[in-house]
Amino acid sequence: MRLGSQPRIRLGNVPTPLEEAPRLRAALGGEAVCPRILIKRDDLTGLAFGGNKIRKLEFLVADALAKEATVLITAGAVQSNHARLTAAAARVAGLRAVLVLDTAEERPPVQGNVLLDRLLGAETRFVPAGTDMDAAMAEVAIELETRGEQPYVIPVGGSNAIGTLGYVAATLELLEQTVATVTAPSRLYYANGSRGTQAGLALGAKLWRAPWVVHGIAVSGGEPEKIHRAVRIAGEAAQLVDADVAVQSDDLVNDNGYIGPGYGVLTEACVEAITLTAQSEGVFLDPVYSGKAMAGLIGHIRTGQIDPDETVVFLHTGGTPALFAKADELVNALEQAEG
Ligand SMILES: *Cc1c(COP(=O)(O)O)cnc(C)c1O
């Protein structure tokens, strides 16, 4: 195993805090019915409002620099956290960034991540929803090459073998933080999107025999292709670091029950999770990923799927700037809930 010899640049402020959430536990019924909850604060990875993509970008941008890239190209939804953090990482590394963002709107509001992309000076190309993003990025790459640039394409979510190493490394960090605790965490909950996080967490857990089961809560559809992707990139990542373990689809636990009407569409359970976590712990979740992941954890607790003697880690993957892009919808949902 040679994770340490992989090219990596320092972008994040790690280790991120691992904080106990006793008031959230109390709000969910207390010790008799609710497990102990620890929040792994990867919303505090530091750079440009933080989030899980920082860990992937430490490996991806290092690879870009090793290949003498001059510009990073990536893609995502209009409010992509990954795109914002790629733009910020590019600045730190002395590179330019071009973001291909899909949107159903003619002129998306300059709010949340779109505002931050602007402030970072990233070149943004809006494309219609449903565009083949890999093809769109390849087109931009050709255009930049003809201008004498050396482009480096990062797939949606940074979810390839190199990006996967971010959460392999994070697994080691979490093991170090929990090894001395009285009760080892038996589960790790987090939001599942493009699945690079899942691949890294699953590979890391298998590699170091972590005591926890990795529980993804999906925020978008796409099974079974997404499980196949996670298995594939986990396998490629294992090869990169000469690790002699294989992640199989059985290792990838995912719950599709909390997506609601679709990616980025608020659900009642998500709004409840956001307000409950804010009002008990002063911690902000986001409306697209971590809010739905927490809704999943809360749902599993309320339906008795988790023994109250267990310790659960909730991985907060960031995304908080999207709260501001959803201000009106959130306020409407709150007013409805209050009757
Ligand atoms: C991208 C993202 C995720 C999901 O990570 P994947 O590796 O794409 O599955 C979760 N939470 C937030 C806030 C994200 O931006």
Side-chain angles (χ1 to χ4, degrees):
M1 232 296 286
R2 29 181 203 91
L3 184 60
S5 63
Q6 288 298 306
R8 182 177 183 179
I9 63 163
R10 178 82 185 239
L11 293 173
N13 192 1
V14 296
T16 56
L18 181 68
E19 296 172 345
E20 179 134 18
R23 291 155 297 260
L24 178 60
R25 186 183 196 186
L28 291 169
E31 290 179 16
V33 290
C34 181
R36 180 169 168 243
I37 300 170
L38 305 174
I39 304 182
K40 175 67 172 160
R41 298 293 305 274
D42 274 11
D43 56 319
L44 301 180
T45 44
L47 183 68
F49 294 122
N52 65 337
K53 303 310 180 307
I54 292 292
R55 292 192 188 269
K56 304 180 182 189
L57 287 162
E58 289 198 339
F59 290 96
L60 289 162
V61 176
D63 187 49
L65 290 172
K67 294 185 168 131
E68 301 189 337
T70 58
V71 54
L72 305 178
I73 302 172
T74 200
V78 64
Q79 281 293 334
S80 167
N81 302 303
H82 165 69
R84 177 239 317 165
L85 289 170
T86 300
R91 288 304 187 196
V92 172
L95 305 173
R96 296 199 314 109
V98 179
L99 312 176
V100 182
L101 304 176
D102 72 8
T103 172
E105 288 167 294
E106 192 77 26
R107 296 182 77 231
V110 183
Q111 183 48 282
N113 284 305
V114 175
L115 171 64
L116 301 177
D117 297 341
R118 269 284 276 282
L119 295 175
L120 287 161
E123 186 182 326
T124 307
R125 313 254 180 120
F126 293 114
V127 297
T131 300
D132 178 338
M133 298 306 255
D134 288 330
M137 285 192 288
E139 232 172 79
V140 173
I142 290 168
E143 176 198 319
L144 293 174
E145 269 167 11
T146 58
R147 281 202 249 142
E149 298 258 22
Q150 184 64 43
Y152 183 88
V153 175
I154 299 177
V156 171
S159 289
N160 61 13
I162 292 173
T164 291
L165 298 178
Y167 274 89
V168 176
T171 298
L172 200 54
E173 181 180 310
L174 186 57
L175 278 168
E176 282 164 2
Q177 285 176 316
T178 53
V179 75
T181 55
V182 202
T183 37
S186 48
R187 299 164 186 254
L188 189 160
Y189 276 75
Y190 69 98
N192 249 343
S194 62
R195 304 305 176 89
T197 303
Q198 178 176 48
L201 289 172
L203 178 57
K206 203 153 189 184
L207 206 49
W208 289 299
R209 298 190 181 83
W212 53 78
V213 175
V214 177
H215 281 268
I217 304 292
V219 302
S220 50
E223 300 302 337
E225 288 77 11
K226 282 193 173 164
I227 288 282
H228 297 158
R229 182 198 302 169
V231 168
R232 175 174 56 79
I233 64 178
E236 291 166 4
Q239 272 190 339
L240 275 180
V241 295
D242 278 342
D244 195 19
V245 300
V247 168
Q248 283 134 9
S249 50
D250 300 353
D251 299 320
L252 303 174
V253 180
N254 177 62
D255 187 339
N256 275 322
Y258 295 86
I259 301 170
Y263 174 77
V265 183
L266 275 180
T267 62
E268 232 173 87
C270 175
V271 175
E272 192 214 0
I274 290 171
T275 52
L276 199 61
T277 308
Q279 292 171 23
S280 59
E281 299 292 341
V283 171
F284 288 115
L285 301 174
D286 84 278
V288 181
Y289 294 94
S290 54
K292 286 185 178 173
M294 182 62 88
L297 172 56
I298 292 172
H300 288 190
I301 292 168
R302 286 186 178 150
T303 51
Q305 295 178 49
I306 308 176
D307 193 291
D309 289 337
E310 291 184 49
T311 294
V312 176
V313 172
F314 178 80
L315 172 63
H316 187 336
T317 45
T320 43
L323 280 172
F324 302 100
K326 288 228 181 281
D328 292 346
E329 280 177 66
L330 283 164
V331 170
N332 284 342
L334 289 179
E335 282 171 357
Q336 260 176 15
E338 284 155 11

